[in-house]
Amino acid sequence: MKKIFAAALLALSLPLFAGEKYLFSSKKAVKDKESVKFNTEISAIDLVKDMKCGWNLGNTLDANAKQGLESETSWGQPLTTKEMIDAIAASGIKTIRIPCSWANHLIDDKYTIDSEWMKRVKQIVDWAIQDGMYVILNDHHDNLMPRGKGYYPSTLNYNESMLFVKNIWAQISLAFNKGYDEHLIFEVLNEPRRREHEHEWWYNQGCTLCRDAASSLNKLNQIALNTIRASGKNNAKRFVMVTGLAASINSYQADNSWKMPKDTEDGRILISVHLYTPYTFAMQNPGETTFEEKHAGELKYNFDWLNERFVSKGIPVVIGEYGATNKNNPEERAKWFEYFIRESSKYGMVSVLWDNGDWNASNTFEEKFGFFNRKTNEWYFPEILKTILDNCSNN
């Protein structure tokens, strides 16, 4: 019986890419059959400058409450349509980030992704690519361990996390490769962190578990990057975004615990960070509603630090999520957006607006990050869009 089991496991583990072994069923994996030329001459800095301003298709493919295709609308957002993506592109947005969860779409215990789900993800990515947009595709809400399938940055859960990350990115790399040029960017992990820990969102240098999480994340980032590169063809040159714990700027600043993964290609890594800053104005409920000089100062410090640490050294920064929640303060909110985009653009950073579809602040200010009406394909706050586009110096 043991020999039969071992033989079956070996069959599932046969090399799919040169020198690599995986557990998922390659027969059920979606494979990229197209072929386009990848511009290997464009630098990471120039790429990010050309990405200009971006928008997130939030609370959609990242919803993880249900399995199957119906999960796309399970968090209250309508089914994504080509008309919706066309409208985003026509509005002047050049980059779309497509947050995507995978753990709830596994069909076996070998990390095999439901092929229908992968095809649906490809369909939406293709719509954006056809519109000439840059697309950021990631692994979003799968930071689920130790409760179940997914990953969790800790030594205790590392083996399971490594298998999940490796097999998921191997399948994404199969489905998205030679048919996609530099306009498709992979983002390894979204806000990886010790969930439900007291330092979940803020790295504490004196916390042993925080240091352990950072060490584990460094290895998971490396595993994902190695897997992408091992798939070859266009993925050998693909630009890849990597992140620190919780995608917080604090995780990059703390005691050098975050390490840049080693790459077989020079200048192909982008730094991912999220900035809902200052928290009291941008996210806290009720928090503060007036954009003041102290808030501008905090933002400036963050942009200056990111420039000094990364951009000035030729490593571009993508602010994968940012935004200020609706507190019925349109004028002050516009001031925040103007300052945020103007100052971040000075350093060639691309900022990607977080949009969860929830805009109505009639009862609460909590996470009202809806900006684009996905039913009418119009912007709830056209003045904010205009502010973003007018102050994005990369335009």
Side-chain angles (χ1 to χ4, degrees), residues 44-60:
I45 291 291
D46 288 339
L47 177 98
V48 170
K49 286 181 179 179
D50 195 46
M51 290 168 71
K52 301 179 181 177
C53 296
W55 176 83
N56 272 274
L57 182 68
N59 283 29
T60 305

Side-chain angles (χ1 to χ4, degrees), residues 16-122:
L16 196 59
F17 309 138
E20 294 292 337
K21 293 183 179 181
Y22 304 90
L23 297 177
F24 69 88
S25 172
S26 62
K27 292 182 179 180
K28 297 179 181 179
V30 174
K31 299 176 179 66
D32 187 4
K33 298 179 180 180
E34 303 299 323
S35 183
V36 299
K37 185 178 180 180
F38 192 103
N39 181 6
T40 58
E41 299 302 317
I42 189 171
S43 70
I45 291 291
D46 288 339
L47 177 98
V48 170
K49 286 181 179 179
D50 195 46
M51 290 168 71
K52 301 179 181 177
C53 296
W55 176 83
N56 272 274
L57 182 68
N59 283 29
T60 305
L61 298 184
D62 53 319
N64 60 1
K66 294 184 178 181
Q67 297 178 323
L69 296 180
E70 65 178 1
S71 70
E72 181 178 342
T73 57
S74 64
W75 282 0
Q77 297 309 303
L79 199 69
T80 307
T81 64
K82 185 178 187 303
E83 290 72 22
M84 184 190 301
I85 302 301
D86 290 346
I88 289 292
S91 70
I93 295 295
K94 186 68 179 293
T95 296
I96 181 170
R97 182 172 179 255
I98 301 180
C100 190
S101 296
W102 304 95
N104 54 317
H105 298 286
L106 302 183
I107 60 174
D108 58 31
D109 61 357
K110 304 302 180 185
Y111 314 100
T112 304
I113 299 171
D114 179 2
S115 62
E116 293 305 310
W117 179 249
M118 184 66 82
K119 290 175 184 176
R120 175 57 175 162
V121 175
K122 279 177 69 71

Side-chain angles (χ1 to χ4, degrees), residues 196-197 327:
E196 301 176 5
H197 184 266
K327 299 182 181 182

Side-chain angles (χ1 to χ4, degrees), residues 104-304:
N104 54 317
H105 298 286
L106 302 183
I107 60 174
D108 58 31
D109 61 357
K110 304 302 180 185
Y111 314 100
T112 304
I113 299 171
D114 179 2
S115 62
E116 293 305 310
W117 179 249
M118 184 66 82
K119 290 175 184 176
R120 175 57 175 162
V121 175
K122 279 177 69 71
Q123 182 181 49
I124 296 174
V125 169
D126 288 350
W127 288 338
I129 294 292
Q130 290 163 13
D131 282 336
M133 302 176 77
Y134 285 94
V135 176
I136 299 169
L137 180 63
N138 76 357
D139 179 9
H140 204 77
H141 284 305
D142 291 337
N143 193 174
L144 305 174
M145 288 291 293
R147 294 182 294 174
K149 299 174 183 177
Y151 71 90
Y152 193 84
S154 73
T155 298
L156 179 64
N157 300 108
Y158 178 74
N159 190 58
E160 167 65 20
S161 299
M162 178 274 293
L163 289 172
F164 175 84
V165 169
K166 184 174 183 177
N167 281 275
I168 293 305
W169 275 106
Q171 291 171 87
I172 298 172
S173 297
L174 272 177
F176 298 90
N177 195 329
K178 61 182 180 179
Y180 300 85
D181 65 12
E182 67 278 2
H183 284 81
L184 177 63
I185 298 156
F186 289 155
E187 180 185 26
V188 176
L189 301 171
N190 171 73
E191 298 180 343
R193 62 199 188 276
R194 280 188 172 271
R195 292 173 63 92
E196 301 176 5
H197 184 266
E198 61 177 323
H199 300 134
E200 178 176 355
W201 295 105
W202 186 261
Y203 185 94
N204 186 312
Q205 297 187 44
C207 171
T208 301
L209 292 180
C210 290
R211 295 195 297 272
D212 177 73
S215 175
S216 296
L217 177 58
N218 289 336
K219 291 188 287 186
L220 292 175
N221 278 336
Q222 188 69 61
I223 284 290
L225 180 63
N226 291 351
T227 301
I228 293 167
R229 295 290 183 244
S231 65
K233 302 181 179 68
N234 286 359
N235 286 342
K237 299 287 186 178
R238 181 89 48 211
F239 289 97
V240 179
M241 291 166 57
V242 295
T243 183
L245 288 173
S248 169
I249 188 173
N250 162 260
S251 66
Y252 294 112
Q253 296 170 324
D255 65 22
N256 295 315
S257 62
W258 183 84
K259 304 295 183 185
M260 177 81 80
K262 296 179 180 179
D263 198 0
T264 55
E265 300 294 325
D266 291 332
R268 297 281 156 176
I269 294 180
L270 316 177
I271 298 301
S272 174
V273 66
H274 295 174
L275 284 178
Y276 296 96
T277 306
Y279 174 78
T280 54
F281 179 88
M283 185 173 279
Q284 190 177 43
N285 177 29
E288 300 171 308
T289 58
T290 302
F291 183 61
E292 301 176 2
E293 186 176 342
K294 63 178 181 179
H295 301 142
E298 185 173 339
L299 282 171
K300 185 178 187 305
Y301 169 79
N302 286 327
F303 297 140
D304 287 349

